[in-house]
Amino acid sequence: MTEFSFDALRRAPDIEADNLFAVDASDRLILDEAAAALDDTVGHPGTVAVIGDNYGALTLGAAAVLDLHGIRVHQDARSSELALAANARRVVDVDLTGRYTNHPLGRELLEGATVVLVQLPRSLAALDDIARAIAGYADPSVVVYAGGRVKHMTPAMNEVLSASFDDVSASLARQKSRVLVARRPRDGVGVALHRREFHADLDLWVCASGNAFAGTKIDIGTRLLIDHLGEMAPDAHTAIDLGCGTGVLAALLARDRGERGLRVIATDQSEAAVDSARETMQANGLADRVDVVRDDALGDFDDNSADLIVLNPPFHVGSTVHAGIALKLFEAAGRVLRPGGELWTVFNSHLSYRAALQRAVGPTRQVDRNPKFTVMVSTGR
C-alpha cells in the first residue's frame, strides 16, 4: 500500500485558483462506498474502469491505496487527462502512470469491467450515454458507483440509471455528497448514438453526443457571431474554431469560404465535442474541408499560424462561475494569431472582457451587442 494524500492533487494545466479544487468530498465518498468491491478486484487487472475523474482523485486513490493495476480511465476533457498524468508522477514516491490507461467511452474502456467509478456529469444526456455504454459493454456482474455533490444531483439521475440497470440505490449523504449504486444491467440496452437536428434557417445539420455543450441546438451567443461570419478576415488562409463544441462555426466557415481556399480547423478539449464536430462535418458533407482536433487551449498549435480565430468561450469552470478559462483561451489565441490576424469573440455582455482581449491579443473593438451578448474583434500584434 502506498501513502496517498488527496491534498497533494493539483488541477494544472487546468485553471488553478483559491476557490477551485482538485478533489472534493464526492471523490472520497465514491472510493469509500466502492472500497469492498475494489478490494475484490486486487490481482485482477482490467476489471476497474473510471469515468469522469476530474484530476485523478478516483484513479490515483484506487491505484495507490489499494495497489490496483490496469485501471481503464475515460476523461472527456483533455486538461483532465493531462492533470491526471501530472499528478500520477508527483503525488506519491512511486510513479503511478503505468497503473492506468486512457480510453474513449466505449468497448475498450468497459469490456470485462466489474467495478465502474463515475463522477456524475451535470447533463442527463451525458449520464444516459455513460449508463448505456456500461450496460452494453461491461461484465454482467458490474457494479457502478456514481457520485456527486448533492446540490447538483436530481431524482432524474436515478431514472436515467434505471433505464439501463434493474437495481439503482442511493448511499447516505456525507459532506453534502451522495453516491448512486447501479447493478444488474438491463438486457437489450442499446449504446447511445449521436443526436442530430436540422436547422433550416442555416441549411445545417448539427450532431451531438450527450456531453456536448448545447446539444443539437445552437446557442444564442453563437448565433450572434454567425451574423458576422462574412466580415471576418476576408483574406484569411487558415481559420480556427477554438472551443468548437459541435462544430457549427467551423462548418459554416468551411461551407461558405472553403472553395476560396480557407483551411478550417475545429478544436476543443472535450472528447464529446470533437466527436460531435466530426459527425456534424460528415452530416453536412464537409469532412474533407475541416480538420477536427482535440487539444487543450491550442497547446499543439504553432505560434503565428492562424489568420482567423473564432471563439465563444465558457464562463464556468465546472460548476463555478470563473473567467479563468476565457482568459487562458485569449492568451492562447494571441500567441497563435499571425500579426494582423483577427480573433472574433462573443461573450456575455456583463463580463467586460475588452481589456483582457487587448492585453492578450491586441487592439479590440466592439462589433455588435444585444441585451445579453457582445461581439468583439481583436487584431493580433
Side-chain angles (χ1 to χ4, degrees):
M1 183 179 296
T2 303
E3 290 294 325
F4 175 77
S5 171
F6 286 106
D7 294 334
L9 294 171
R10 292 186 54 187
R11 297 167 55 93
D14 204 355
I15 304 302
E16 296 191 299
D18 290 343
N19 63 333
L20 299 174
F21 305 97
V23 61
D24 66 29
S26 66
D27 292 306
R28 295 180 173 89
L29 184 58
I30 291 168
L31 288 168
D32 286 349
E33 290 293 320
L38 288 170
D39 194 54
D40 288 341
T41 70
V42 174
H44 301 282
T47 54
V48 175
V50 178
I51 299 174
D53 196 359
N54 291 317
Y55 303 101
L58 297 178
T59 304
L60 301 180
V65 178
L66 297 173
D67 197 30
L68 296 187
H69 293 68
I71 302 171
R72 289 174 285 176
V73 183
H74 169 68
Q75 295 165 288
D76 181 64
R78 176 62 177 152
S79 60
S80 293
E81 289 183 352
L82 296 172
L84 169 56
N87 284 324
R89 290 189 293 268
R90 56 172 293 277
V91 295
V92 295
D93 292 336
V94 179
D95 187 342
L96 296 175
T97 53
R99 301 287 189 91
Y100 71 89
T101 51
N102 293 103
H103 302 272
L105 182 65
R107 183 182 298 277
E108 67 182 58
L109 171 76
L110 293 160
E111 190 168 43
T114 58
V115 178
V116 181
L117 311 181
V118 181
Q119 261 291 349
L120 284 165
R122 299 287 293 276
S123 160
L124 293 178
L127 180 58
D128 185 51
D129 285 359
I130 291 168
R132 286 173 176 272
I134 298 171
Y137 296 128
D139 190 273
S141 67
V142 68
V143 184
V144 182
Y145 299 87
R149 304 291 281 169
V150 171
K151 64 182 178 180
H152 301 311
M153 297 174 69
T154 68
M157 290 179 169
N158 300 58
E159 297 170 12
V160 169
L161 287 172
S162 294
S164 294
F165 295 88
D166 282 327
D167 182 357
V168 178
S169 59
S171 74
L172 295 175
R174 188 182 80 191
Q175 293 181 294
K176 301 180 181 179
S177 300
R178 191 184 298 276
V179 172
L180 303 179
V181 182
R183 299 178 173 87
R184 294 164 45 208
R186 291 181 181 271
D187 292 333
V189 174
V191 176
L193 302 175
H194 283 89
R195 300 143 184 92
R196 54 190 278 161
E197 180 177 345
F198 185 68
H199 295 265
D201 60 323
L202 297 173
D203 190 26
L204 187 75
W205 285 100
V206 176
C207 302
S209 67
N211 206 33
F213 172 71
T216 60
K217 306 299 181 184
I218 301 176
D219 71 280
I220 54 179
T222 295
R223 284 194 172 274
L224 187 60
L225 203 54
I226 287 171
D227 291 341
H228 299 278
L229 287 180
E231 307 165 36
M232 298 177 180
D235 298 325
H237 297 289
T238 301
I240 299 172
D241 182 357
L242 175 56
C244 65
T246 55
V248 171
L249 294 170
L252 293 174
L253 279 168
R255 187 183 67 189
D256 296 345
R257 297 169 61 175
E259 291 184 355
R260 288 185 276 158
L262 181 67
R263 178 192 176 213
V264 180
I265 304 167
T267 179
D268 203 296
Q269 74 151 336
S270 163
E271 185 174 283
V274 166
D275 288 344
S276 301
R278 288 193 178 115
E279 289 291 323
T280 294
M281 302 314 153
Q282 190 69 41
N284 292 285
L286 297 168
D288 61 340
R289 296 192 188 182
V290 180
D291 295 324
V292 184
V293 179
R294 185 168 179 240
D295 175 87
D296 179 28
L298 301 178
D300 293 329
F301 287 70
D302 293 335
D303 293 0
N304 305 322
S305 59
D307 304 300
L308 170 64
I309 298 176
V310 292
L311 172 63
N312 181 359
F315 59 93
H316 284 83
V317 177
S319 59
T320 304
V321 176
H322 197 282
I325 289 183
L327 300 180
K328 177 180 176 179
L329 295 176
F330 295 163
E331 291 174 2
R335 177 183 64 80
V336 171
L337 269 182
R338 293 190 178 100
E342 295 179 358
L343 168 66
W344 286 70
T345 312
V346 62
F347 51 86
N348 293 76
S349 296
H350 70 275
L351 294 173
S352 302
Y353 281 148
R354 184 170 189 163
L357 285 164
Q358 291 185 154
R359 285 193 302 271
V361 183
T364 298
R365 62 182 173 86
Q366 179 177 304
V367 175
D368 202 349
R369 186 183 181 95
N370 64 26
K372 289 197 68 174
F373 289 94
T374 295
V375 174
M376 288 194 173
V377 58
S378 306
T379 304
R381 296 185 183 91

